[in-house]
């Protein structure tokens, strides 16, 4: 079936306000009344009712819409609730951006079914055929890539496989990639090596650096935490806490997806994508509580807890970013449970000392329905990172309590001078609901990209 044929046969979406419905309901056609009664449809925002059409004709889907609700996120839920098939919008309500709807719809229709049995036909998804820009398509693809990488189990997404994903992206985008391993890693990135040295040789730690763009353009450094599985190390996690730790490379997944989006749409920047990759395993040579390790910045770190490993590998990667003298540095990491305590799973906290940058990010997040929230880099907690025998320690004293803030303060010791943003993302949906299946989630990608567009497209 051609695209034109699919559009001709697609179910027509008709937007209906509650006022519209009150007028229609006074004397509705029988088929409309029947569909509305079956769906308890009364025109409320996000409700829908599907109406069958005579054989050979497309049907209709009535969608309750209230412009005052101010959110297109309902389309994400609709993509997970509507019957499978093709849909098309003939007329958009005033003020609704079809591109935003497309991105939300794609996010809601997303499924990860790589490991489903081949002899079982996958359920047909609701597919939106209405027009959208190449920008919207690229954003939707980037978010899906991040989720695919996160959802892939650790046996198929270890350090080597994450490197393969990075190489594939670099090759498709005309970027240059460099991978540091072995003795070069020990000498150049000692903290990354310390975290990952207990994993087997097939899952050895590494530092990945992707370079892209024209020399005349400002340099943006994207740093992503790539712990492909986190046992907690010798300070081992409980089984419930370890169950979903395949997602602990979510920061690297987000950095790759964001980089791919920037390169595909040709944003006028240079990119340095820095991915410290390791598996926090348990073996005879695993780092121990009480050890003191070196870092690329030549600051010594006392290991108070081996489960606070993400900040260690980020420290080396941020130091490398400093050497490149970027115009802007952004790091993304599934770093602390404390961030979830503060803001829950849906809102991604970020840290920066740059008020203008924070305001631009928050504005982009609101406009793109990508929930983020600025958290304080409160210097009063820095003393909680002091060590008696090293330059600092990786677990803050209990009196500080604010685990996400103290983790950000730790990273600040290694971050480049100038504008820097740290995201402490969850990258996961812990419960399934229509449009939000349990599993990997893309957070802050849309907000960051929109901010970068404004910042560098002047």
């Amino acid at each position: 079936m051609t695209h034109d044929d699919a559009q001709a046969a697609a179910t027509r979406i008709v937007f209906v306000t509650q006022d519209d419905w009150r007028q229609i309901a006074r004397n509705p056609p029988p088929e409309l009344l029947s569909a509305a009664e079956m769906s308890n449809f009364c025109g409320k925002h996000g409700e829908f009712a599907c109406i069958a059409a005579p054989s050979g004709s497309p049907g209709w889907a009535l969608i309750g819409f209230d412009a005052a609700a101010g959110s297109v996120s309902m389309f994400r839920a609709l993509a997970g609730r509507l019957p499978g098939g093709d849909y098309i919008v003939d007329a958009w309500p005033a003020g609704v951006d079809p591109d935003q709807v497309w991105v939300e719809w794609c996010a809601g229709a997303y499924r990860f079914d790589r490991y489903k049995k081949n002899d079982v036909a996958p359920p047909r998804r609701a597919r939106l055929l209405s027009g959208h820009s190449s920008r919207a398509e690229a954003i939707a693809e980037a978010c899906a890539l991040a989720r695919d990488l996160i959802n892939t189990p650790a046996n198929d997404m270890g350090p080597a496989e994450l490197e393969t994903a990075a190489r594939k992206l670099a090759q498709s985008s005309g970027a240059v990639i460099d991978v540091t391993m072995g003795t070069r890693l020990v000498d150049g990135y000692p903290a990354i090596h310390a975290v990952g040295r207990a994993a087997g040789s097939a899952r050895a730690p590494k530092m990945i650096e992707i370079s892209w763009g024209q020399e005349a353009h400002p340099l943006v450094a994207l740093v992503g935490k790539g712990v492909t599985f986190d046992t907690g190390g010798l300070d081992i996690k409980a089984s419930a806490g370890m169950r979903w730790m395949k997602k602990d490379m979510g920061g690297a997944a987000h950095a790759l997806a964001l980089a791919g989006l920037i390169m595909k749409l040709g944003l006028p920047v240079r990119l340095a994508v820095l991915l410290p990759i390791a598996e926090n395993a348990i073996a005879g040579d695993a780092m121990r509580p009480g050890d003191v390790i070196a870092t690329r910045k030549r600051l010594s770190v006392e290991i108070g807890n081996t489960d606070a490993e993400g900040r260690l590998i980020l420290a080396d990667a941020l130091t490398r970013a400093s050497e490149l003298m970027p115009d802007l540095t952004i790091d993304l990491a599934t770093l602390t449970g404390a961030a979830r305590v503060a803001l829950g799973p849906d809102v991604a906290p970020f840290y920066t000392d740059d008020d203008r940058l924070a305001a631009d990010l928050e504005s982009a997040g609101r406009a793109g329905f990508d929930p983020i929230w600025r958290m304080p880099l409160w210097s009063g907690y820095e003393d909680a990172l002091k060590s008696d025998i090293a330059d600092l320690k990786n677990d803050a004293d209990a009196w500080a309590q604010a685990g996400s803030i103290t983790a950000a303060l730790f990273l600040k010791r290694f971050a480049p001078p100038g504008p820097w943003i740290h995201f402490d993302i969850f990258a996961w949906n812990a419960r399934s609901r229509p449009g939000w299946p349990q599993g990997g989630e893309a957070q802050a990608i849309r907000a960051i990209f929109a901010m970068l567009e404004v910042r560098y497209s002047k």
Side-chain angles (χ1 to χ4, degrees), residues 62-268:
L62 300 184
I63 306 295
F65 182 78
D66 180 2
S71 173
V72 298
S73 60
M74 76 164 194
F75 290 96
R76 179 165 181 168
L78 283 170
R81 294 169 59 208
L82 284 167
D86 293 337
Y87 293 82
I88 190 169
V89 176
D90 288 328
W92 292 96
V96 173
D97 182 351
D99 275 4
Q100 289 184 335
V101 171
W102 170 264
V103 173
E104 291 289 335
W105 189 289
C106 289
Y110 172 87
R111 297 292 183 275
F112 183 75
D113 52 13
R114 171 177 169 179
Y115 297 93
K116 294 288 188 180
K117 291 182 180 178
N118 292 330
D119 58 350
V120 177
R124 194 178 182 199
R125 302 176 191 174
R127 186 172 65 145
L128 185 64
L129 300 181
S130 296
H132 58 275
S133 70
S134 57
R135 177 184 181 277
E137 188 164 330
I139 292 171
E141 289 175 355
C143 292
L145 172 62
R147 296 170 82 178
D148 282 347
L149 293 172
I150 294 165
N151 280 323
T152 304
N155 59 309
D156 286 333
M157 188 51 66
E161 290 81 6
L162 196 50
E163 178 189 338
T164 298
R167 288 188 179 279
K168 180 179 179 181
L169 181 68
Q171 183 178 13
S172 66
S173 305
V176 176
I177 186 169
D178 179 70
V179 180
T180 302
M181 297 180 63
T183 56
R184 288 177 60 215
L185 190 76
V186 176
D187 296 337
Y189 299 95
I192 298 174
H193 175 261
V195 170
R197 70 191 183 205
S201 58
R203 306 180 75 82
K206 57 192 68 184
M207 174 67 183
I208 297 174
E209 183 170 337
I210 298 173
S211 304
W212 175 87
Q214 299 177 23
E215 191 66 30
H217 289 159
L219 177 63
V220 175
L222 301 179
V223 181
K225 173 188 170 186
V227 175
T228 56
F229 193 80
D230 183 17
T231 65
L234 293 179
D235 288 312
I236 190 170
K237 293 178 182 288
S239 58
M242 200 189 303
R243 173 63 180 89
W244 301 114
M245 281 300 101
K246 67 177 184 179
K247 80 176 190 69
D248 214 21
M249 42 62 71
H254 276 63
L256 279 174
L258 182 57
L261 176 59
I262 291 168
M263 293 187 288
K264 184 169 187 176
L265 294 183
L267 206 62

Side-chain angles (χ1 to χ4, degrees), residues 89 122 245 255 295 326 331 411 428 437 448 452:
V89 176
M245 281 300 101
T295 65
D331 79 70
L411 296 180
W428 194 255
I448 295 171
L452 291 174

Side-chain angles (χ1 to χ4, degrees), residues 3-85:
H3 181 71
D4 289 343
D5 290 338
Q7 285 194 327
T11 298
R12 264 51 188 170
I13 291 178
V14 179
F15 295 99
V16 179
T17 67
Q18 282 189 283
D19 287 341
D20 292 336
W21 181 248
R22 290 188 189 101
Q23 295 180 25
I24 294 170
R26 290 171 185 166
N27 188 25
E31 67 273 14
L32 183 59
L33 181 62
S34 174
E37 288 178 345
M38 290 179 62
S39 305
N40 293 318
F41 182 83
C42 61
K44 290 183 180 178
H45 190 71
E47 289 183 338
F48 72 89
C50 292
I51 307 167
S55 178
S57 301
W60 296 271
L62 300 184
I63 306 295
F65 182 78
D66 180 2
S71 173
V72 298
S73 60
M74 76 164 194
F75 290 96
R76 179 165 181 168
L78 283 170
R81 294 169 59 208
L82 284 167

Side-chain angles (χ1 to χ4, degrees), residues 293-336:
I293 68 168
T295 65
R296 185 177 180 87
K297 194 174 182 178
R298 302 188 186 280
L299 291 176
S300 59
V301 179
E302 181 183 9
I303 305 302
N305 191 315
T306 62
D307 196 20
E309 84 299 331
R311 66 200 67 182
L312 299 174
I313 66 172
L314 287 170
D316 274 0
L318 286 168
T319 301
R320 172 57 181 157
S322 296
E323 297 161 7
L324 300 173
M325 296 183 292
D327 183 71
L328 172 65
T329 303
I330 303 171
D331 79 70
L332 301 112
T334 52
L335 204 61
T336 71

Side-chain angles (χ1 to χ4, degrees), residues 254-442:
H254 276 63
L256 279 174
L258 182 57
L261 176 59
I262 291 168
M263 293 187 288
K264 184 169 187 176
L265 294 183
L267 206 62
V269 298
R270 281 188 297 138
L271 279 182
V273 186
L274 306 171
L275 307 179
I277 310 298
E279 179 167 317
N280 190 18
I282 299 172
D285 59 347
M287 64 179 180
R288 296 164 288 267
D291 282 358
V292 174
I293 68 168
T295 65
R296 185 177 180 87
K297 194 174 182 178
R298 302 188 186 280
L299 291 176
S300 59
V301 179
E302 181 183 9
I303 305 302
N305 191 315
T306 62
D307 196 20
E309 84 299 331
R311 66 200 67 182
L312 299 174
I313 66 172
L314 287 170
D316 274 0
L318 286 168
T319 301
R320 172 57 181 157
S322 296
E323 297 161 7
L324 300 173
M325 296 183 292
D327 183 71
L328 172 65
T329 303
I330 303 171
D331 79 70
L332 301 112
T334 52
L335 204 61
T336 71
R340 313 289 77 76
V341 174
L343 298 181
D346 295 342
V347 182
F350 72 93
Y351 297 82
T352 182
D353 278 334
D354 190 316
D355 293 339
R356 175 68 180 274
L357 185 57
D360 290 345
L361 257 178
E362 289 171 331
S363 177
R366 287 191 298 270
F369 306 99
D370 198 359
I372 60 176
W373 195 263
R374 186 185 186 184
M375 295 280 279
L377 276 165
W378 181 246
S379 60
Y381 297 145
E382 287 179 349
D383 284 352
L385 296 170
K386 287 184 176 179
S387 167
D388 292 333
I389 62 172
D391 293 316
L392 70 166
K393 58 186 179 182
N394 74 329
D395 66 327
D397 290 334
W399 64 260
Q401 299 186 58
S404 183
I405 296 175
T406 54
L409 289 170
F410 180 95
L411 296 180
K412 187 180 178 183
R413 295 286 298 272
F414 300 88
W420 163 65
I421 312 164
H422 161 59
F423 274 91
D424 192 342
I425 60 175
F426 190 43
W428 194 255
N429 289 316
R431 64 186 177 103
S432 286
R433 59 199 192 278
W436 285 264
Q438 185 186 53
E441 182 56 86

